[in-house]
């Protein structure tokens, strides 16, 4: 969703220096996180579940951090706090699935940024674009500032995170059949 769209955008442009332009680029992620927080505030059941999800999803704010691995790590370290409480009250497999899939998602995101954005969001600072401008950024051979990150590989890796980590998390939330959790995951 929003994060993927932003990654596509930054893969074809140099670093944005204008704060307003950067805020516009962050709008989709900001709206998704606000939706998740609002649903947490409004939840009348499974409050620990929705609070855990809301806290963990702030990890998607990594795009603003100069040390995204640590940023995500901080969110990952908070999951067990709610996770232990949830599993203490709800030892059923479906609840375990939600907690585990959320940790799995954050670890995957952390691995992704460690590989592709170790010092913050990787921009196309050389403004390298393919000769055929009709080509998708997924097919570009552009490299980051140091010439180490293949844009196509970076976007493919993010798509892989969505398929292998986000989808199981969404499925685990839906398995609990609670509207507040399902709506939160729809924001993701």
């Amino acid at each position: 969703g929003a994060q993927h769209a932003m990654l596509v955008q930054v893969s074809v442009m140099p670093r944005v220096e204008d704060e307003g332009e950067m805020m516009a680029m962050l709008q989709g992620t900001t709206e998704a996180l606000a939706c998740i927080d609002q649903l947490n505030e409004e939840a009348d059941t499974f409050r620990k579940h929705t609070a855990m999800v809301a806290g963990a999803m702030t990890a998607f704010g990594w795009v603003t951090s100069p040390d995204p691995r640590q940023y995500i790590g901080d969110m990952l370290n908070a999951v067990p706090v709610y996770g232990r409480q949830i599993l203490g009250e709800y030892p059923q497999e479906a609840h375990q699935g939600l907690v585990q899939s959320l940790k799995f998602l954050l670890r995957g995101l952390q691995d992704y940024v460690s590989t592709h954005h170790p010092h913050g969001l990787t921009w196309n600072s050389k403004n390298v674009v393919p000769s055929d401008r009709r080509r998708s950024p997924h097919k570009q051979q552009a490299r980051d500032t140091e010439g180490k990150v293949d844009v196509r590989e970076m976007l493919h890796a993010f798509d892989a995170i969505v398929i292998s980590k986000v989808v199981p998390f969404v499925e685990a939330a839906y398995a609990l059949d609670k509207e507040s959790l399902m709506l939160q995951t729809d924001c993701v």
Side-chain angles (χ1 to χ4, degrees):
Q3 191 118 113
H4 181 270
M6 182 181 183
L7 291 172
V8 168
Q9 196 174 7
V10 302
S11 74
V12 296
M13 62 188 293
R15 179 181 300 277
V16 171
E17 301 299 331
D18 179 67
E19 188 174 328
E21 190 175 353
M22 184 64 179
M23 293 306 293
M25 291 177 72
L26 289 169
Q27 184 176 356
T29 298
T30 302
E31 288 173 357
L33 293 175
C35 172
I36 291 167
D37 282 340
Q38 181 175 351
L39 290 165
N40 175 46
E41 294 299 320
E42 295 171 357
D44 56 353
T45 59
F46 283 8
R47 285 282 296 160
K48 291 176 183 165
H49 296 66
T50 61
M52 178 183 70
V53 170
M57 289 300 107
T58 60
F60 283 94
W62 70 267
V63 295
T64 62
S65 174
D67 188 358
R69 180 175 173 73
Q70 180 62 47
Y71 185 87
I72 295 167
D74 291 345
M75 304 312 136
L76 181 58
N77 290 338
V79 170
V81 173
Y82 282 111
R84 281 190 296 274
Q85 293 174 21
I86 291 167
L87 297 178
E89 282 183 51
Y90 306 94
Q92 298 89 351
E93 190 175 320
H95 298 274
Q96 292 174 10
L98 180 70
V99 173
Q100 292 305 317
S101 66
L102 187 54
K103 287 193 252 183
F104 188 59
L105 166 59
L106 293 183
R107 284 188 192 116
L109 184 61
Q110 190 176 45
D111 290 345
Y112 168 78
V113 299
S114 294
T115 301
H116 299 285
H117 306 276
H119 305 293
L121 195 57
T122 301
W123 296 82
N124 183 354
S125 61
K126 292 183 179 182
N127 205 21
V128 177
V129 294
S131 56
D132 181 354
R133 294 189 187 274
R134 293 172 294 166
R135 290 173 66 191
S136 151
H138 288 282
K139 300 189 188 306
Q140 291 185 23
Q141 295 298 316
R143 306 278 179 180
D144 74 327
T145 326
E146 298 161 358
K148 294 181 181 172
V149 176
D150 182 316
V151 170
R152 180 182 55 213
E153 179 186 330
M154 177 185 70
L155 294 172
H156 176 72
F158 189 80
D159 291 344
I161 294 288
V162 171
I163 293 166
S164 67
K165 311 289 192 272
V166 175
V167 170
F169 164 68
V170 171
E171 289 171 345
Y174 269 71
L176 292 171
D177 199 27
K178 290 295 178 191
E179 185 179 18
S180 56
L181 281 171
M182 292 187 288
L183 291 171
Q184 275 188 314
T185 60
D186 289 347
C187 295
V188 175

